[in-house]
Amino acid sequence: VPLVSKNVWLPPRSLLVIKGEARYAWQHGIAWRKTDCLQEGQVVQRSRRVSLTFRRARGRPCQCAWPMMCDGQNPEAHALPSRVGQRDNAAGYAAAAA
C-alpha cells in the first residue's frame, strides 16, 4: 500500500476535529517548520500555534470500530509512537524532519 501524504493549511484560529478513521488510522500532527507555502510564490511565516486535545473519559471499556489501534481496547497501542507507524519508523521519519 503506497503511503499517501496530504498537507492541510489551517488559518489562525481554526478548529480541526479528528474522529473515526482519521483519528485512529491516519498519522497526523503539526509539521515542524517555520513557513508554509500555500501556492507557488506565496509563503506564510508561522507564528505560535496551540494544539489542544479533548478526549472523553469513559466509565466503561471502549467499543469503537478500531480495536487494534485504540489504546482503550488494545494495551499494546499505548507503546506505539504512531498508530500507522511501523513503515514510517523504517523510513526514519524523513517527512517529519523536512
Side-chain angles (χ1 to χ4, degrees), residues 31-36 43-47 98:
W32 187 265
R33 58 178 172 249
K34 295 181 180 182
T35 61
D36 287 298
V43 177
V44 175
Q45 292 287 328
R46 283 196 170 182
S47 59

Side-chain angles (χ1 to χ4, degrees), residues 10-31:
L10 298 174
R13 297 177 184 84
S14 293
L15 172 68
L16 176 65
V17 176
I18 301 175
K19 61 185 185 176
E21 181 182 5
R23 155 78 165 86
Y24 291 102
W26 299 0
Q27 183 177 10
H28 50 276
I30 299 173

Side-chain angles (χ1 to χ4, degrees), residues 48-78:
R48 180 174 162 223
R49 295 186 78 94
V50 176
S51 177
L52 304 173
T53 301
F54 296 93
R55 296 181 186 208
R56 184 178 317 156
R58 301 185 194 287
R60 61 189 192 292
C62 179
Q63 297 296 317
C64 74
W66 307 97
M68 293 306 295
M69 296 177 224
C70 175
D71 53 12
Q73 295 184 58
N74 180 6
E76 292 179 12
H78 287 279

